Amino acid sequence: MVYNRSPGPADALRALGASVADTSAQLFASCDAIILMLADDAAVDAILARRESDFGARAQGRLIINMGTHSPEFSLALSNDIVAAGGSFVEAPVSGSRGPAESGELVAMLAGKANAIAQARALLGSMCSTTVVAGAVPTALAMKLAVNLYLIASVTALAEAAHLARLSDVNLDQFAEVIGSGALGSAVARAKLDKIRRDDFSPQAAIADVVKNARLVEGLAAKVRAQAPLLKESRMRFESVAAAGLGGLDMAAVYASYAPGTVPE
């Protein structure tokens, strides 16, 4: 059974045979495990009725698996509230965007009690090709944010390198071939270079979401006193692209911070 706060996206799942709940209350009444993938803290609180009298009934006796990206502080507090209400909680942020999600190749980072993680692993198998047990909450989200630092800085560097190549009259098809075939090749590098060379920035992971995640990474870095100069520069570039009205484009559109006006809206 699925539920979406706006009805449109659920139609495709209904066509595939899923039961679609009309309300979040119907979802909780029908299911003993709930997988959340929501935009932000407020959306999670709203779905769980966390600030309302219904929260206890929604949490009690249920396994709540949260696959969204949040601050470690939020996740730890959420876990404590769910456990106090008689439920079980597993942190399950993922590495991967739309393509890996559709092909069942997400990498999930799990944190929580061992028995809850065992249940979660069985439920996530159709979406995730790999699950890594990180430890206690909120270790999985700390891991996710560290992974995001690497991803954000890497895509920024890739855009910068493509900008240099283009201005140097390098054939971008050949440039992409060298990157993709060598030691630096990865699914992300190949996908983002393909978008840059074709000027196709339809979103897999949108600029606006990257900005949100970059700020979460910076918050964790400040808390643990980690140096993150590459993240800071990258975040400012993504913010500049979002401020230009391009926040809905794929993160490869950070290229526009190097070559304004070259990325189609």
Side-chain angles (χ1 to χ4, degrees), residues 113-185:
K113 299 283 181 68
N115 59 339
I117 287 176
Q119 295 176 60
R121 266 183 152 162
L123 294 172
L124 298 175
S126 61
M127 292 181 279
C128 303
S129 60
T130 302
T131 54
V132 176
V133 178
V137 176
T139 316
L141 269 167
M143 184 182 295
K144 159 75 173 183
L145 295 180
V147 169
N148 273 6
L149 190 160
Y150 177 60
L151 171 66
I152 292 166
S154 295
V155 173
T156 306
L158 195 66
E160 186 169 305
H163 176 58
L164 173 64
R166 183 168 271 167
L167 290 184
S168 303
D169 295 325
V170 170
N171 182 298
L172 280 193
D173 291 345
Q174 293 177 334
F175 175 73
E177 181 181 2
V178 171
I179 292 287
S181 301
L184 296 176

Side-chain angles (χ1 to χ4, degrees), residues 10-26:
D11 291 342
L13 296 177
R14 181 187 282 109
L16 292 171
S19 299
V20 180
D22 294 325
T23 64
S24 59
Q26 181 187 355

